Amino acid sequence: MTAEAEVLGELRRLRARVPQLTGALAASADGLVLARDAADADGAEHVAALTATALGVAQRLTDATGQGGFRELLVQGEHGYVATYAAGGSAVLTLLAEPRINVGRLHLEARRSSARIGALVDEALERRPEPRPQRRTEPRAAAQTPVTAPAPAARAVSAGPVRSAPLPVRPAAAPAVPPVPTHHPKEA
């Protein structure tokens, strides 16, 4: 059985345990759908992309406020909930739920499922073979040509991925509270 089939099985078992769920999605942290148990396939890709964006914001928020690594995010709308849970080191579980759901039960079941899904995805990534580096063969004439250093702009581009620093945390300013008007009743 493939990891995708196992993740899909876990999503279906989760929806069977929590009938108020209207959709379940496992996605990579960069927004690719790994498995879904929802009616709308196109909507799943859109939700996975939005989940990746929300995950990035949530991670920066927890880092900036000193709350540690991201665990979960719960959004309540007029028509229900969207809940996102970290699933291992490289995946997330996103659930859609009816407004009448017991949120405690949702968290309990989703945390268990996200741990299982995270283990499945992380294990599948560990089993994936590493790409072998390709040897470059250069003609002998090219090997004897002196090599010049790249221009400074080229070095900046090839320096690797850009890592953003955590957002600075500003001290909270005292809220501007307007003075309370005093009312003196008129004497008759």
Side-chain angles (χ1 to χ4, degrees):
M1 184 180 266
T2 67
E4 182 179 339
E6 292 179 57
V7 170
L8 181 57
E10 182 59 38
L11 293 179
R12 288 182 175 151
R13 287 188 295 276
L14 174 61
R15 287 197 62 194
R17 290 190 310 267
V18 185
Q20 294 83 17
L21 289 178
T22 58
L25 169 79
S28 65
D30 57 354
L32 299 175
V33 175
L34 301 174
R36 66 173 175 79
D37 187 22
D40 185 12
D42 293 332
E45 290 180 8
H46 186 68
V47 170
L50 288 172
T51 296
T53 303
L55 177 64
V57 171
Q59 286 174 329
R60 292 193 68 184
L61 182 61
T62 57
D63 287 345
T65 57
Q67 301 302 314
F70 169 79
R71 296 270 177 104
E72 58 196 45
L73 173 67
L74 180 68
V75 178
Q76 181 181 13
E78 290 178 12
H79 304 293
Y81 293 90
V82 179
T84 300
Y85 301 85
S90 58
V92 292
L93 169 66
T94 297
L95 304 172
L96 305 178
E98 297 174 355
R100 63 187 179 96
I101 194 166
N102 178 323
V103 176
R105 174 92 189 274
L106 171 69
H107 285 321
L108 177 70
E109 296 293 343
R111 289 171 186 157
R112 289 176 180 164
S113 287
S114 66
R116 288 186 198 109
I117 290 168
L120 291 169
V121 172
D122 290 347
E123 182 181 309
L125 289 174
E126 288 174 8
R127 287 190 309 232
R128 193 167 67 185
E130 291 287 325
R132 298 174 77 184
Q134 295 183 2
R135 289 186 61 181
R136 291 180 20 165
T137 57
E138 297 181 22
R140 287 186 182 261
Q144 295 173 356
T145 309
V147 177
T148 58
R155 269 190 237 128
V157 170
S158 64
V162 177
R163 303 202 192 288
S164 60
L167 292 172
V169 178
R170 285 190 235 164
V177 179
V180 177
T182 54
H183 178 68
H184 299 289
K186 292 184 182 178
E187 293 182 20

